[in-house]
Amino acid sequence: MREAYQDQLDQLADALARMCEMDATAIELATKALLDADLTLAEQVIGDDAKIDEARSDCEEHAFALLALQAPVAGDLRNVISAIHAAESLERMGDLALHVAKAARRRHPQPVLPDEVRPYFVEMGRVAVELAKQAEQVIRTRNISLARQLEEADDEMDDLHRHLFTVLMQQSWPHGLPAAVDITLLGRFYERFADHAVSVARRVIFVVTGEPPHPTND
Amino acid sequence: MREAYQDQLDQLADALARMCEMDATAIELATKALLDADLTLAEQVIGDDAKIDEARSDCEEHAFALLALQAPVAGDLRNVISAIHAAESLERMGDLALHVAKAARRRHPQPVLPDEVRPYFVEMGRVAVELAKQAEQVIRTRNISLARQLEEADDEMDDLHRHLFTVLMQQSWPHGLPAAVDITLLGRFYERFADHAVSVARRVIFVVTGEPPHPTND
């Protein structure tokens, strides 16, 4: 019984780790679609989002079955509840990648990003992919020091986001208001993507150490 | 045993309903702070957010205890899982009200909103308060037709949000880019507040009818 239970828990963790991979791919391709005004890539991300939604649904059903059939307590229960939260965050990360892809599609064949802000999105895209991949490793290994490293990558994202706004607020911004509105929302999507990855890592820290995952309020 | 269980479930629903009330108050005061450039109100919302975070933590502990001690199955289990999700959404609604209040504080004593967009925020504030109060009623009564009404209020919010962008995108926008960036983000906060209220209602529909809560992707 105990062994079957551990098996199911491992399968659940594996399903979550695969959601992280899907999110990493989604934000990587969405960023590329945004930078290169690549409609095909944008459509791919938009089409693939349903798979992430489905994976979340599967994770939740899986967690539900575990709770109903095994009635776990203490650490095991915490683990399953955390998986339910993680699945929610990971689905949301997919939605945020979807929003980036939709912005690329909406403006196509025009590029969304003026040259001044491209480097910020190159970097925010890189950090977002890194965060999704780190979250995957944290779920697979339950490595607490790795989980804490996500906070550093998130700080990097916050810095990029702040600098992006500085560029946007320059008196000399020549690209008009619609571009500024797009960039404001896009910056927010990357920042939220990072927040959700951190929240997944914090839940793992909670399961392993019992340290409560303080809300970020971001 | 069964009665004690029902009692605990009722207490959990009551705790969630009180979170809705807190969210309704938070977004009402935050909107007032924004419209009137009222620093005291803004500070109150910012200070009170910790109470919403705490209420969420309590709900989650409560749900955790229920699962560990009662090991519910089927509909009862679905109920508790939904409560965990609802608490997460309700905390997030508090964060979004907090963001509105912080925008009011950041620009104080300057008003954040030019006259052209004030009516949109008056309305978005009204709809947001209504949604939080409707969510409270849905949690307390499990009234499915009321739960479905939240979708209508959410449609109203989406319309307001869309029209707000039309005003913002007018060639003649004379208020500069920083104001536009603020308004873009504020509009998004209200829209997300509404999405979360809808997601709480959908979870209740799911518990009562078994109809899966499709993700909104917004």
Side-chain angles (χ1 to χ4, degrees), chain B residues 25-26 28-49 97-98 100-110:
Chain B
T25 303
E28 184 165 23
L29 299 185
T31 305
K32 213 167 150 26
L34 187 68
L35 291 167
D36 303 344
D38 185 327
L39 186 60
T40 313
L41 274 188
E43 295 284 8
Q44 185 182 332
V45 175
I46 293 163
D48 283 352
D49 183 59
L98 171 74
V100 173
K102 281 188 173 170
R105 181 172 71 178
R106 194 165 47 243
R107 299 289 173 228
H108 184 83
Q110 299 303 316

Side-chain angles (χ1 to χ4, degrees), chain A residues 49 56 60 67 81 84-85 88 91-92 95 99 165 168 173 177-178 181 184 192 203 215 217-218, chain B residues 49 56 60 67 81 84-85 88 91-92 95 99 165 168 173 177 181 184 192 203 215 217-218:
Chain A
D49 184 57
R56 181 255 174 98
E60 209 163 289
L67 291 172
I81 299 293
I84 291 173
H85 282 295
E88 184 155 9
E91 186 208 324
R92 190 73 203 139
D95 290 341
H99 290 341
F165 274 77
L168 214 53
W173 178 261
L177 212 126
V181 167
T184 300
R192 292 295 300 154
R203 287 273 169 187
N217 291 345
D218 289 325
Chain B
D49 183 59
R56 181 254 175 97
E60 208 163 291
L67 291 173
I81 299 293
I84 293 175
H85 282 295
E88 182 155 10
E91 186 208 324
R92 189 71 204 142
D95 290 341
H99 290 340
F165 274 78
L168 213 55
W173 178 261
L177 211 126
V181 166
T184 299
R192 292 295 300 153
R203 287 273 169 189
N217 290 345
D218 289 328

Side-chain angles (χ1 to χ4, degrees), chain A residues 188-200:
Chain A
R188 175 99 188 136
F189 299 150
Y190 282 92
E191 190 216 350
R192 292 295 300 154
F193 186 99
D195 289 340
H196 282 289
V198 168
S199 131
V200 169

Side-chain angles (χ1 to χ4, degrees), chain A residues 39-216:
Chain A
L39 187 59
T40 312
L41 273 188
E43 294 286 8
Q44 184 181 336
V45 174
I46 293 164
D48 283 352
D49 184 57
K51 293 181 198 162
I52 301 179
D53 293 347
E54 209 174 295
R56 181 255 174 98
S57 221
D58 289 350
C59 283
E60 209 163 289
E61 279 310 305
H62 201 126
F64 191 86
L66 253 169
L67 291 172
L69 300 174
Q70 311 278 3
V73 294
D76 288 338
L77 175 56
R78 217 182 281 287
N79 205 333
V80 180
I81 299 293
S82 286
I84 291 173
H85 282 295
E88 184 155 9
S89 287
L90 292 168
E91 186 208 324
R92 190 73 203 139
M93 287 161 74
D95 290 341
L96 292 160
L98 172 74
H99 290 341
V100 173
K102 280 187 172 170
R105 182 172 69 177
R106 195 165 46 243
R107 298 291 173 227
H108 185 82
Q110 299 303 317
V112 183
L113 304 176
D115 283 347
E116 297 96 303
V117 299
R118 279 181 62 89
Y120 292 95
F121 284 89
V122 170
E123 280 304 290
M124 289 196 294
R126 182 188 60 72
V127 176
V129 171
E130 184 185 315
L131 276 160
K133 287 185 174 172
Q134 282 179 338
E136 183 199 342
Q137 285 311 306
V138 167
I139 288 169
R140 290 201 189 278
T141 62
R142 313 196 141 241
N143 180 329
I144 294 302
S145 66
L146 184 59
R148 294 196 202 281
Q149 279 176 36
L150 268 84
E151 310 267 353
E152 289 165 34
D154 184 42
D155 287 344
E156 201 182 340
M157 182 69 90
D158 288 342
D159 275 349
L160 286 163
H161 190 224
R162 227 181 340 263
H163 282 123
L164 174 66
F165 274 77
T166 319
V167 175
L168 214 53
M169 295 296 187
Q170 275 163 4
Q171 293 284 343
S172 56
W173 178 261
H175 306 289
L177 212 126
V181 167
D182 276 349
I183 292 163
T184 300
L185 289 174
L186 284 165
R188 175 99 188 136
F189 299 150
Y190 282 92
E191 190 216 350
R192 292 295 300 154
F193 186 99
D195 289 340
H196 282 289
V198 168
S199 131
V200 169
R202 282 188 189 158
R203 287 273 169 187
V204 172
I205 295 176
F206 179 48
V207 168
V208 175
T209 68
E211 192 180 304
H214 295 295
T216 63

